[in-house]
């Protein structure tokens, strides 16, 4: 007699891990709502999406197409194609005047892949890691999913919304930290840390024995002053970067890390086991992308113009309280004169004048209800039209 079939295991919600219960990205809900409005034939202006409209550099796309044609798409070394690692290392000499050993470069699945590798390598479950509020939501969600404790530190406008040694020390005294993560230029604020601020924070972290992680994904998109890399400040840092933003390669899923000397082997073992290697065509394209900087600088010039249109136009429209838009392609505006519920306000604005923005609650559980993030990665005509529509919306009340 045939054995009775085994009962099919039911995937009961209670069977899922607690750490997998991370928050969604609220901006995705805004995008979905915008898509519904567009499906009815209206033109929505997208100031919610943090991704360049321009394609990857032409040289990068050609290199990937040639490699595809030649069929060169096997696995690569876990740490990345050696030529790409060497090219990234050379970039630090060219852009920051620092010699970086290619051995310290780890090619990753965008900076998102870098976070997972870095957090796994640096932190144990239960470790407390300081991050700024407001800040990029996946920092806290990925740390939580890995069993670490994100410690959100409220930042102040007078510090350009960056962490300071004083606030770091205070959090460490409350309960010992294991690491700190900084971002400059930052998302959502668009603010940057100057050399003195970054150096002081790094010195404080070093004195406390904390791992120092620097998300430099928006490097290359700096307007107020040249962005300083943590690599310039010390070798005991983990820098996370990406081809997604300056090089307009979001969907290629390729980024990199610079890790302290001697740490690459740990990253290599993690990457081997987690994903084997980063997509080969993307790595080939990324290597070529460095030769496409002139084309990317033209794209950057469009952000400069968009930034001008918004920083001059929004105050005329009625929104004059925003942080200095130093870099990236974001402007973070205080809308507390109009609402204490930025999510509802963003939705009303989207419904009324078809301008999509991201409510601050995505980024900041403390004060996010008073803020909206505007992305100026789109086109100049869209920025001008957005200013006019926002003016209309605010006048209507
Ligand atoms: C601050 C910041 N870090 C990291 C990322 C992740 O980018 P990617 O994984 O495409 O490199 C983003 C994306 O918007 C971001 O804004």
């Amino acid at each position: 007699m045939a054995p009775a079939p085994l009962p099919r295991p039911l995937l009961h919600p209670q069977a899922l891990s607690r750490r997998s219960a991370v928050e969604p990205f609220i901006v995705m809900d805004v995008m979905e709502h915008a898509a519904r409005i567009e499906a009815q034939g209206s033109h929505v202006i997208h100031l919610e999406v943090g991704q360049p409209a321009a394609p990857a550099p032409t040289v990068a796309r050609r290199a990937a197409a040639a490699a595809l044609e030649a069929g060169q798409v096997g696995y690569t070394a876990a740490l990345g194609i050696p030529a790409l690692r060497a090219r990234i290392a050379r970039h630090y000499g060219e852009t920051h005047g620092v010699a970086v050993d290619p051995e310290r470069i780890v090619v990753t699945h965008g900076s998102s892949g870098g976070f997972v590798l870095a957090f796994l390598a640096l932190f144990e479950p239960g470790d407390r890691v300081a991050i700024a509020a407001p800040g990029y939501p996946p920092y806290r969600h990925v740390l939580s999913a890995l069993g670490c404790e994100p410690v959100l530190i409220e930042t102040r406008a007078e510090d350009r919304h960056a962490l300071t040694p004083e606030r770091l020390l205070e959090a460490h005294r409350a309960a010992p930290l294991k690491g700190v993560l900084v971002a400059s230029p930052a998302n959502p604020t668009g603010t940057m840390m100057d050399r003195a601020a970054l150096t002081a924070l790094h010195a404080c972290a070093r004195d406390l024995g904390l791992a120092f992680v620097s998300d430099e994904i928006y490097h290359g998109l700096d307007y107020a002053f040249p962005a300083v890399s943590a690599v310039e400040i010390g070798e005991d840092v983990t820098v996370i970067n990406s081809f997604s933003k300056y090089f307009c390669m979001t969907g290629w899923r390729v980024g990199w890390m610079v890790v302290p000397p001697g740490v690459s082997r740990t990253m290599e073992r993690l990457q081997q086991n987690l994903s084997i290697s980063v997509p080969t065509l993307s790595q080939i394209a990324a290597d070529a992308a460095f030769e496409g900087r002139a084309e990317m600088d033209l794209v950057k010039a469009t952000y400069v113009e968009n930034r001008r249109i918004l920083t001059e136009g929004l105050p005329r429209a009625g929104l004059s309280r925003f942080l200095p838009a130093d870099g990236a392609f974001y402007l973070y505006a205080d809308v507390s004169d109009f609402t204490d519920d930025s999510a509802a306000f963003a939705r009303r604005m989207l419904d009324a004048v078809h301008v999509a923005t991201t409510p601050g609650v995505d980024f900041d559980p403390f004060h996010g209800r008073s803020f909206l993030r505007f992305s100026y990665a789109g086109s100049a005509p869209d920025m001008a039209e957005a200013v006019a529509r926002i003016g209309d919306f605010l006048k209507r009340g």
Side-chain angles (χ1 to χ4, degrees), residues 50 110-112 115 136 139 187 215 217-218 242 244-245 253 330:
S111 39
S112 305
F115 297 139
Y136 180 57
Y139 297 150
N187 177 8
D215 180 359
I217 184 171
Y218 290 103
S242 174
S244 289
K245 307 293 171 156
R253 309 311 302 130
Y330 304 116

Side-chain angles (χ1 to χ4, degrees), residues 63-76:
L68 179 62
E69 191 56 34
Q72 297 171 358
V73 275
Y75 293 132
T76 72

Side-chain angles (χ1 to χ4, degrees), residues 315-337:
R316 282 200 304 271
L319 284 181
S320 49
R321 293 164 61 191
F322 47 82
L323 307 181
D326 295 334
F329 33 56
Y330 304 116
L331 191 143
Y332 199 55
D334 184 334
V335 290
S336 58
D337 287 345

